[in-house]
Amino acid sequence: MNSDHKTLEHEALESLDPMATVPKLSGPIGRVIGWVDTCFLTVAVVALVAIAATVLLQISSRLFLPFSIAWTEELSRYLFIYMVALSAGVVLRQNRNISVELFHHLLGPRMQAAFQVLICALIGLFAFLVLPYAWQYAQNGAWQTSPTLHVPMLYIFFSTVVTFALLLVYSLLGCLEGIIAMCRSSATHQES
Protein backbone atom coordinates (compact mmCIF):
# COMPACT_ATOMS: atom_id res chain seq x y z
CA MET A 1 0.00 0.00 0.00
CA ASN A 2 2.83 2.37 0.87
CA SER A 3 4.53 1.82 -2.51
CA ASP A 4 1.19 2.53 -4.26
CA HIS A 5 0.95 5.79 -2.34
CA LYS A 6 4.51 6.72 -3.36
CA THR A 7 3.74 5.90 -7.00
CA LEU A 8 0.60 8.03 -6.98
CA GLU A 9 2.48 10.85 -5.29
CA HIS A 10 5.25 10.65 -7.89
CA GLU A 11 2.73 10.64 -10.77
CA ALA A 12 0.92 13.64 -9.28
CA LEU A 13 4.22 15.50 -8.93
CA GLU A 14 5.17 14.68 -12.53
CA SER A 15 1.83 15.97 -13.80
CA LEU A 16 2.37 19.24 -11.95
CA ASP A 17 6.06 19.56 -12.71
CA PRO A 18 7.36 17.69 -15.76
CA MET A 19 10.95 18.60 -14.84
CA ALA A 20 10.61 16.49 -11.68
CA THR A 21 11.33 13.44 -13.84
CA VAL A 22 15.03 14.34 -13.90
CA PRO A 23 16.34 12.26 -10.97
CA LYS A 24 18.36 13.86 -8.20
CA LEU A 25 21.67 12.44 -7.03
CA SER A 26 21.30 9.50 -4.68
CA GLY A 27 23.57 7.56 -2.37
CA PRO A 28 25.86 9.19 0.19
CA ILE A 29 26.40 12.29 -1.95
CA GLY A 30 22.66 12.72 -2.44
CA ARG A 31 22.08 12.39 1.31
CA VAL A 32 24.73 15.03 2.08
CA ILE A 33 23.22 17.39 -0.50
CA GLY A 34 19.77 16.72 0.95
CA TRP A 35 21.07 17.53 4.42
CA VAL A 36 22.62 20.79 3.16
CA ASP A 37 19.32 21.64 1.41
CA THR A 38 17.46 21.02 4.65
CA CYS A 39 19.88 23.26 6.57
CA PHE A 40 19.43 26.14 4.12
CA LEU A 41 15.65 25.74 4.10
CA THR A 42 15.55 25.55 7.91
CA VAL A 43 17.49 28.79 8.24
CA ALA A 44 15.21 30.40 5.64
CA VAL A 45 12.11 29.27 7.56
CA VAL A 46 13.59 30.61 10.81
CA ALA A 47 14.13 33.93 9.02
CA LEU A 48 10.50 33.87 7.84
CA VAL A 49 9.24 33.23 11.38
CA ALA A 50 11.52 36.00 12.66
CA ILE A 51 10.06 38.35 10.03
CA ALA A 52 6.55 37.54 11.24
CA ALA A 53 7.56 38.09 14.88
CA THR A 54 9.29 41.37 14.02
CA VAL A 55 6.30 42.68 12.10
CA LEU A 56 3.95 41.67 14.93
CA LEU A 57 6.22 43.50 17.37
CA GLN A 58 6.13 46.56 15.14
CA ILE A 59 2.33 46.49 14.89
CA SER A 60 1.95 45.91 18.63
CA SER A 61 4.25 48.81 19.45
CA ARG A 62 2.27 51.13 17.20
CA LEU A 63 -1.03 50.07 18.73
CA PHE A 64 -0.20 49.64 22.41
CA LEU A 65 2.86 51.75 23.14
CA PRO A 66 3.15 55.54 23.06
CA PHE A 67 6.10 55.15 20.67
CA SER A 68 6.90 52.85 17.78
CA ILE A 69 10.01 50.72 17.68
CA ALA A 70 12.19 51.99 14.85
CA TRP A 71 14.48 49.03 14.26
CA THR A 72 11.77 46.47 13.46
CA GLU A 73 11.24 47.62 9.88
CA GLU A 74 14.96 47.49 9.15
CA LEU A 75 15.38 44.06 10.76
CA SER A 76 12.44 42.58 8.84
CA ARG A 77 13.93 43.89 5.58
CA TYR A 78 17.32 42.31 6.29
CA LEU A 79 15.74 39.02 7.35
CA PHE A 80 13.76 38.96 4.11
CA ILE A 81 16.89 39.58 2.06
CA TYR A 82 18.75 36.70 3.71
CA MET A 83 15.71 34.41 3.53
CA VAL A 84 15.70 34.83 -0.24
CA ALA A 85 19.49 34.56 -0.50
CA LEU A 86 19.70 31.31 1.48
CA SER A 87 16.83 29.60 -0.32
CA ALA A 88 17.66 30.62 -3.92
CA GLY A 89 19.91 27.64 -4.61
CA VAL A 90 17.52 25.06 -3.16
CA VAL A 91 14.66 26.58 -5.14
CA LEU A 92 16.74 26.16 -8.30
CA ARG A 93 17.57 22.54 -7.47
CA GLN A 94 13.94 21.67 -6.80
CA ASN A 95 12.78 23.40 -10.01
CA ARG A 96 10.52 25.67 -7.97
CA ASN A 97 11.72 28.89 -9.56
CA ILE A 98 9.39 30.83 -11.81
CA SER A 99 9.41 29.45 -15.32
CA VAL A 100 7.21 29.38 -18.36
CA GLU A 101 6.07 25.82 -18.95
CA LEU A 102 4.75 25.86 -22.47
CA PHE A 103 6.43 22.76 -23.81
CA HIS A 104 8.01 20.86 -20.89
CA HIS A 105 5.29 18.22 -20.88
CA LEU A 106 6.00 17.45 -24.55
CA LEU A 107 9.65 16.55 -23.89
CA GLY A 108 10.83 13.03 -23.24
CA PRO A 109 13.01 12.22 -20.22
CA ARG A 110 16.28 12.71 -22.11
CA MET A 111 15.21 16.10 -23.53
CA GLN A 112 13.96 17.21 -20.10
CA ALA A 113 17.39 16.39 -18.70
CA ALA A 114 19.03 18.31 -21.58
CA PHE A 115 16.71 21.25 -20.94
CA GLN A 116 17.68 21.20 -17.26
CA VAL A 117 21.37 21.22 -18.23
CA LEU A 118 20.78 24.20 -20.54
CA ILE A 119 18.84 26.23 -17.95
CA CYS A 120 21.29 25.42 -15.14
CA ALA A 121 24.26 26.23 -17.38
CA LEU A 122 22.78 29.63 -18.27
CA ILE A 123 21.99 30.44 -14.64
CA GLY A 124 25.44 29.22 -13.57
CA LEU A 125 27.15 31.31 -16.22
CA PHE A 126 25.21 34.37 -15.14
CA ALA A 127 26.04 33.75 -11.47
CA PHE A 128 29.72 33.21 -12.32
CA LEU A 129 29.85 36.50 -14.24
CA VAL A 130 28.04 38.49 -11.55
CA LEU A 131 29.80 37.01 -8.49
CA PRO A 132 32.94 39.22 -8.63
CA TYR A 133 30.74 42.32 -8.91
CA ALA A 134 28.60 41.12 -6.01
CA TRP A 135 31.77 40.88 -3.94
CA GLN A 136 32.76 44.44 -4.94
CA TYR A 137 29.27 45.60 -4.01
CA ALA A 138 29.51 43.87 -0.62
CA GLN A 139 32.81 45.57 0.10
CA ASN A 140 31.15 48.96 -0.37
CA GLY A 141 29.24 48.24 2.82
CA ALA A 142 32.42 48.06 4.92
CA TRP A 143 32.32 51.84 5.45
CA GLN A 144 28.62 52.07 6.26
CA THR A 145 26.37 51.01 9.09
CA SER A 146 22.62 50.54 9.05
CA PRO A 147 20.65 53.54 10.35
CA THR A 148 18.89 52.02 13.36
CA LEU A 149 20.54 48.66 14.08
CA HIS A 150 24.09 49.99 13.50
CA VAL A 151 25.08 46.74 11.76
CA PRO A 152 27.93 47.05 9.26
CA MET A 153 26.30 47.07 5.85
CA LEU A 154 28.99 44.67 4.66
CA TYR A 155 26.92 41.88 6.27
CA ILE A 156 23.77 43.04 4.52
CA PHE A 157 25.40 43.59 1.13
CA PHE A 158 27.11 40.19 1.47
CA SER A 159 23.72 38.61 0.79
CA THR A 160 24.34 39.23 -2.92
CA VAL A 161 27.52 37.15 -2.72
CA VAL A 162 25.62 34.39 -0.90
CA THR A 163 22.84 34.44 -3.50
CA PHE A 164 25.08 34.19 -6.55
CA ALA A 165 27.52 31.73 -4.94
CA LEU A 166 24.64 29.38 -4.05
CA LEU A 167 23.12 29.78 -7.50
CA LEU A 168 26.49 28.89 -9.03
CA VAL A 169 26.94 25.79 -6.85
CA TYR A 170 23.37 24.59 -7.31
CA SER A 171 23.43 25.23 -11.06
CA LEU A 172 26.56 23.08 -11.34
CA LEU A 173 24.76 20.42 -9.35
CA GLY A 174 21.71 20.70 -11.64
CA CYS A 175 23.96 20.36 -14.71
CA LEU A 176 25.58 17.27 -13.22
CA GLU A 177 22.20 15.69 -12.42
CA GLY A 178 20.94 16.49 -15.93
CA ILE A 179 24.03 15.03 -17.61
CA ILE A 180 23.78 11.86 -15.51
CA ALA A 181 20.08 11.56 -16.40
CA MET A 182 20.86 12.02 -20.10
CA CYS A 183 23.56 9.33 -19.98
CA ARG A 184 21.29 6.90 -18.13
CA SER A 185 18.46 7.62 -20.55
CA SER A 186 20.64 6.99 -23.59
CA ALA A 187 21.99 3.77 -22.00
CA THR A 188 18.40 2.62 -21.41
CA HIS A 189 17.51 3.32 -25.06
CA GLN A 190 20.56 1.38 -26.30
CA GLU A 191 19.61 -1.66 -24.22
CA SER A 192 16.08 -1.67 -25.68
Side-chain angles (χ1 to χ4, degrees):
M1 182 70 179
N2 193 15
S3 64
D4 292 337
H5 177 69
K6 292 281 188 186
T7 304
L8 289 174
E9 184 179 306
H10 184 68
E11 288 174 5
L13 182 61
E14 281 184 19
S15 69
L16 292 174
D17 182 15
M19 296 305 291
T21 59
V22 178
K24 304 296 179 206
L25 289 175
S26 58
I29 294 173
R31 284 192 295 276
V32 168
I33 293 168
W35 183 79
V36 170
D37 290 352
T38 303
C39 288
F40 281 127
L41 290 177
T42 301
V43 173
V45 168
V46 167
L48 180 62
V49 171
I51 291 169
T54 304
V55 170
L56 285 175
L57 177 64
Q58 182 180 31
I59 292 169
S60 300
S61 73
R62 288 183 180 177
L63 291 175
F64 304 116
L65 297 176
F67 59 91
S68 62
I69 301 173
W71 54 266
T72 54
E73 182 179 344
E74 192 173 296
L75 179 61
S76 63
R77 188 178 317 128
Y78 298 154
L79 287 169
F80 178 76
I81 289 168
Y82 266 97
M83 178 187 70
V84 171
L86 292 171
S87 60
V90 180
V91 167
L92 175 65
R93 182 163 189 260
Q94 294 179 353
N95 294 314
R96 299 288 182 241
N97 47 344
I98 297 173
S99 65
V100 179
E101 295 182 2
L102 297 176
F103 58 88
H104 294 113
H105 64 283
L106 301 174
L107 300 176
R110 187 169 186 206
M111 287 306 296
Q112 286 178 354
F115 185 72
Q116 177 175 316
V117 170
L118 174 68
I119 295 300
C120 288
L122 290 173
I123 291 172
L125 178 64
F126 177 75
F128 178 75
L129 293 174
V130 172
L131 196 55
Y133 299 105
W135 177 247
Q136 287 176 354
Y137 174 70
Q139 289 177 330
N140 288 336
W143 300 283
Q144 305 172 29
T145 58
S146 64
T148 57
L149 292 174
H150 303 292
V151 174
M153 291 302 288
L154 172 69
Y155 300 127
I156 309 306
F157 292 171
F158 191 72
S159 64
T160 58
V161 176
V162 171
T163 302
F164 290 112
L166 287 176
L167 282 174
L168 179 60
V169 168
Y170 276 96
S171 65
L172 291 173
L173 184 60
C175 283
L176 179 64
E177 289 173 342
I179 290 168
I180 290 171
M182 285 178 10
C183 292
R184 285 184 182 160
S185 179
S186 64
T188 305
H189 287 299
Q190 288 176 358
E191 289 176 6
S192 302

